[in-house]
Amino acid sequence: NGVTVPGRPATIVIFGATGDLTRRLLVPALANLCFDGLLSEELNVIGIALRDGDDESLRVSLDEFAPQTQCWQRLRQRTSYLPGDFTLGTVYERLKQRLGEGDAAFYLATPPQFFGVIVDRLADAGLTEEHDGGFRRVVIEKPFGHDLESARALNQRILSRVNESQVYRIDHFLGKETVQNILVARFGNAWLEAVWNHRYVDHIQISAAEAIGIGTRGAFYDTTGALRDMVPNHLMQLLSMIAMEPPNSFDAEVIRDEKAKLLRAVRRITPDEARSDAVRGMYAAGQVNGQMIPAYRETPHVDPNTATETYVALKLMVDTWRWTGVPFYLRTGKALAARDTEIVVTFNPVPYATFRETPVAHLPANQLVFQIQPHEGIDLGFLVKRPGPQVEAVPVALDFAYAEKFAVAHRTGYETLLYDMIMGDQTLFQRADQIEAGWAVVQPILDAWARGEGVLEEYTPGTSGPRAADALIARDGRQWHALGR
């Protein structure tokens, strides 16, 4: 009915409460939900971290990033701090005394090596047990494993202590309005779903480009790289939403079933395809928007001889009736021409017979662009006649921008996800089988690169990436959608 209600009273326990994720994203998102009337006035926040301090010291550290509203002042007074080493059991005994029997969610805003041990300690202390209709939930950030084997091991470890229904593997990309709107646009518009198949779609591009370099994240990034950081999680989720079959309801498990089925239908890459259909690059020194960026190998905390990629492009095929023969091109990278996350659906060209007597040399194909960031919206490109005596077709666009129609400013992308977690809606959260299916897609590429196969090509900052990526799509007679357009 379109009515949203405040979440039930609960306590959100944030492990890693003094870190950037908590201060810059989680707390502002909670404050925004409070302002929107979507949090219970009895919601409490408990921060846990190793740093010494008290309730007021944590509150002061959060003030810098939280919007200074009356709502934040109320939530601020219900925020407390529990210092201690969360690898040891003593913190959990003190936490148990504070929580009592109330509803609670444990948010693991920590480095990934602590995910398993925190869940173990929570379970050992009895903090994950649910009683009398109450809930105890665990929210886990990415990266969820660093390859297929480690992802399976982490799933097995966590699910041996809690149920899948209690686990919320969070992907902030899925909190973007345009990402969620993919499902509404696809299944709420008859004309769109009618052409959503191989008969009408030529190919689909999914891009996640950043204009910035690695900055101060060298130590993390050099052990991760663009492929692990973005493809098995963010880009696989976008792929599954754009290509999944229609669900028979918007029930969370029904949607997650369809997404998991789609990911399992992605054709497994052979060793030969891992060399021919995957491109990796690394940015050299240069400028982006007038800002000098040092070469990746010269970034602090990066091995000067590293072979870690800062760019990757892939060609994937999906073996379903709907998508047979339709290639999906994925790319992501740092220090590129623009910050731009988008999905571009390019339709098949119209038959040229109608235009054979006109001076039209080439008719650009219709495109539907889901713009996810930085400017959320949807663009539909189509052809019209240019005014004048001759029949000349030119492309134009119908543009929809969220910011022009709705109040979506000053959001972190975590608001919807945190609200859904409190309400118990797992639709936008990844299930164990989805996580493993995403890793299974990229594992042959990781294996090939570990064997030293594939050229690591340098590219200039401020461009669209390495030349090999252009060649990857050009050999099929196609080209990348321009970044930032």
Side-chain angles (χ1 to χ4, degrees), residues 171-209:
D171 184 339
H172 70 272
F173 261 44
L174 299 191
K176 302 287 185 183
E177 289 293 342
T178 309
V179 174
Q180 299 170 65
N181 197 44
I182 291 170
L183 298 183
V184 176
R186 280 193 56 192
F187 305 127
N189 296 290
W191 63 270
L192 192 56
E193 184 60 19
V195 297
W196 214 251
N197 57 63
H198 65 92
R199 293 181 182 177
Y200 298 99
V201 175
D202 177 78
H203 73 282
I204 294 178
Q205 299 177 25
I206 304 176
S207 301

Side-chain angles (χ1 to χ4, degrees), residues 357-385:
E357 302 299 331
T358 69
V360 177
H362 175 69
L363 296 175
N366 301 140
Q367 289 186 324
L368 181 66
V369 181
F370 292 89
Q371 188 67 46
I372 295 166
Q373 66 179 13
H375 306 296
E376 296 179 90
I378 302 175
D379 301 337
L380 175 62
F382 62 103
L383 296 177
V384 299
K385 175 185 173 296

Side-chain angles (χ1 to χ4, degrees), residues 43-69:
L43 182 102
N44 296 302
V45 177
I46 299 175
I48 299 178
L50 191 59
R51 187 180 302 170
D52 288 337
D54 56 17
D55 295 350
E56 188 59 23
S57 67
L58 177 62
R59 294 166 182 168
V60 169
S61 74
L62 301 177
D63 281 337
E64 179 184 353
F65 299 98
Q68 295 306 304
T69 62

Side-chain angles (χ1 to χ4, degrees), residues 90-382:
T90 50
V91 169
Y92 299 87
E93 293 303 323
R94 290 154 57 203
L95 178 60
K96 189 172 186 178
Q97 292 174 3
R98 288 204 193 184
L99 287 178
E101 296 295 320
D103 293 340
F106 307 101
Y107 200 115
L108 278 52
T110 68
Q113 63 264 33
F114 296 113
F115 294 165
V117 69
I118 291 174
V119 173
D120 283 341
R121 295 286 181 267
L122 287 169
D124 290 342
L127 286 162
T128 58
E129 296 175 8
E130 298 179 319
H131 303 286
D132 303 323
F135 70 76
R136 293 294 170 94
R137 296 173 181 145
V138 179
V139 186
I140 302 177
E141 279 278 348
K142 79 169 188 73
F144 201 90
H146 61 271
D147 57 15
L148 178 57
E149 183 180 1
S150 61
R152 282 176 174 161
L154 183 55
N155 273 328
Q156 186 175 12
R157 181 175 182 178
I158 289 172
L159 295 177
S160 70
R161 308 308 303 267
V162 295
N163 297 321
E164 180 66 56
S165 62
Q166 295 176 270
V167 182
Y168 289 69
R169 300 171 189 82
I170 199 163
D171 184 339
H172 70 272
F173 261 44
L174 299 191
K176 302 287 185 183
E177 289 293 342
T178 309
V179 174
Q180 299 170 65
N181 197 44
I182 291 170
L183 298 183
V184 176
R186 280 193 56 192
F187 305 127
N189 296 290
W191 63 270
L192 192 56
E193 184 60 19
V195 297
W196 214 251
N197 57 63
H198 65 92
R199 293 181 182 177
Y200 298 99
V201 175
D202 177 78
H203 73 282
I204 294 178
Q205 299 177 25
I206 304 176
S207 301
E210 291 286 350
I212 60 173
I214 302 306
T216 60
R217 299 173 66 230
F220 160 78
Y221 202 86
D222 207 37
T223 60
T224 305
L227 181 64
R228 284 185 169 94
D229 188 38
M230 295 292 291
V231 178
N233 37 66
H234 294 332
L235 297 194
M236 285 297 115
Q237 285 299 299
L238 296 180
L239 172 62
S240 64
M241 295 184 85
I242 206 73
M244 64 185 270
E245 290 301 307
N248 61 18
S249 77
F250 277 95
D251 176 77
E253 287 310 301
V254 173
I255 290 176
R256 300 208 297 178
D257 284 344
E258 294 299 341
K259 290 167 72 174
K261 282 197 291 186
L262 188 283
L263 291 176
R264 288 195 295 271
V266 177
R267 186 183 302 170
R268 294 301 174 252
I269 297 169
T270 66
D272 284 344
E273 289 168 340
R275 291 187 289 270
S276 63
D277 293 351
V279 170
R280 56 177 172 158
M282 177 191 295
Y283 64 82
Q287 287 191 15
V288 179
N289 299 324
Q291 191 83 22
M292 279 300 301
I293 294 180
Y296 175 70
R297 285 195 173 109
E298 297 170 6
T299 303
H301 311 296
V302 170
D303 180 353
N305 299 311
T306 186
T308 298
E309 78 287 350
T310 62
Y311 177 100
V312 63
L314 311 174
K315 176 185 176 181
L316 300 175
M317 304 299 291
V318 176
D319 289 329
T320 64
W321 179 92
R322 180 184 296 270
W323 298 117
T324 182
V326 177
F328 290 74
Y329 300 97
L330 280 58
R331 59 175 171 168
T332 183
K334 300 288 188 181
L336 297 174
R339 179 173 180 245
D340 188 5
T341 300
E342 65 180 15
I343 301 173
V344 181
V345 181
T346 299
F347 294 93
N348 290 324
V350 298
Y352 292 152
T354 305
F355 299 93
R356 64 184 182 277
E357 302 299 331
T358 69
V360 177
H362 175 69
L363 296 175
N366 301 140
Q367 289 186 324
L368 181 66
V369 181
F370 292 89
Q371 188 67 46
I372 295 166
Q373 66 179 13
H375 306 296
E376 296 179 90
I378 302 175
D379 301 337
L380 175 62
F382 62 103

